[in-house]
Amino acid sequence: MHAFREKHGISIKAINLCFVVIIILFSCGVLMANYLIEKKYNETTVLQKTMMACNDAANTLQSESDELTMCINNYVDNAEEKSIRQYYTVIDNKLREKEIKKAEKYNVDCTALREALKLSDELAERETHAFKLISMANGTLENAPVQVKNYVLPQDEEALSAKEKETLAKRLIHGSAYNIYKRAIYQKIDVFQKEVLAKTEEDLMNENESVARCLRYLRFIALFGVFMVIHMSVVLYRKVTVVLGKYIRAMSENRYVEESGTQELKYLGRVFNSGLALQNERQEELRLEAEVDALTRAASRRATESFMQKKLQQKELSGAFVFVDADNFKAVNDTYGHNIGDTLLKQLVQEMTKTFGVKNFIGRIGGDEFAVWLEGVTPENVKAICSKIDGIQAKCLLPDGEEIAVCVSAGLTFCKAGDSYDAVLKRADAALYQKKRSGKHGCAVYEELL
């Protein structure tokens, strides 16, 4: 896939789509994890409340059973009046029943507690029996709670003496049968705690482990999301930000850009490079138009001046400047028209190129005036140069079969390093003028350097 991406390039649209997918997946993962954590938390909370309700029910049943036993013992052994009132206050509050109902609301199997409560109620019947006997023995039945007053003793027990009644009451409370009841109650409570509470505690631990797993899952999602966002940010930085910076620098410097980055940026780079190529091509055309004479294809006046200024700045300079003028060209234009004149000028440049060679510079100064730079010539070459100039002739065949020809006159001056172009042109023009005065057609040499 990496090779495919490098070949075709990744698009900004694909990067944005990846960001959207990452955000969606990350959001869904976080929402799912939050949902699971909330669900497990609620289940854990329910289990905690269940465990608390079971503990409260078991502890309440055991503590109140112990409190009832303590009250009956204090009354039977010490005849404490407050103990009997405290005993029936516990019975009337029905706190044990309430706590068992709370536990049952959480779908807890409270059978063992119900059985313990039933045993405790049976034991309460025995304890009320003992309360009745002690109250009658002590003569305090009138002040006893209504439960004691309404309790009916067997006839044979009512006939017992006070001492016998007290002895019987103590046997009911301290005897083995009473202790069997108490152990049975404790066993039922113990069974409930071992079975139900242990199961609830195990469920609570499992739910806590589930919450921990969900938190690890959420942490993994967060790390994965951060990793993917960083990865896509790096891709975005490398494929867009860095490339845009390179493009901006290249465009500001008006140079070609290196096509890279996303598909869109590569396309932008191709478009810019194409536009720059067209611009450079057009500038080259404009440069050529500025440097090349449109009619004769010789160098333009500006190009000639630039060439000569650079040439004259060379430290080791060897050559001659020739100022060429077509003889009687105005008369040709006036007689045969500008089309014939233009044809003769073009042929004249061709003839000079043949004569002087392509290595030497030929430029059109204006009208029928031309400039020629002859590289490496010396005064010893003057006769040969003048002979070549004498042979330059442009011919044109008219529609009626008449042939006309144009020759040239020229002024030559040798140059040295440091000369100015204006001075050189002035010397060559002076030599040309001398030739024109002496009869035209040929070359005159400016004598100053000879």
Side-chain angles (χ1 to χ4, degrees), residues 121-184:
D121 290 341
E122 292 177 1
L123 194 61
E125 183 75 15
R126 190 181 186 89
E127 290 167 343
T128 301
H129 189 170
F131 275 131
K132 182 79 172 189
L133 290 171
I134 295 298
S135 296
M136 292 180 67
N138 294 336
T140 58
L141 185 60
E142 292 299 325
N143 298 326
V146 65
Q147 293 93 331
V148 176
K149 290 179 180 180
N150 294 335
Y151 186 80
V152 179
L153 291 175
Q155 291 182 357
D156 57 339
E157 292 184 5
E158 287 187 2
L160 294 175
S161 64
K163 186 65 175 178
E164 291 173 332
K165 288 178 181 176
E166 182 178 347
T167 301
L168 179 59
K170 289 182 178 180
R171 188 166 61 245
L172 287 173
I173 299 304
H174 299 307
S176 60
Y178 187 89
N179 292 328
I180 290 173
Y181 266 102
K182 291 294 292 184
R183 284 196 297 272

Side-chain angles (χ1 to χ4, degrees), residues 406-419:
V406 172
C407 298
V408 298
S409 298
L412 182 148
T413 180
F414 288 95
C415 302
K416 62 180 180 180
D419 277 342

Side-chain angles (χ1 to χ4, degrees), residues 41 77 103 146 165 174 195 198 224 247 295 311 363 397 430 436 448:
Y41 174 78
D77 294 337
V146 65
K165 288 178 181 176
H174 299 307
E195 294 181 358
F224 179 76
Y247 277 20
L295 175 64
K311 180 63 67 175
L397 189 64
K436 288 283 188 179
E448 186 179 53

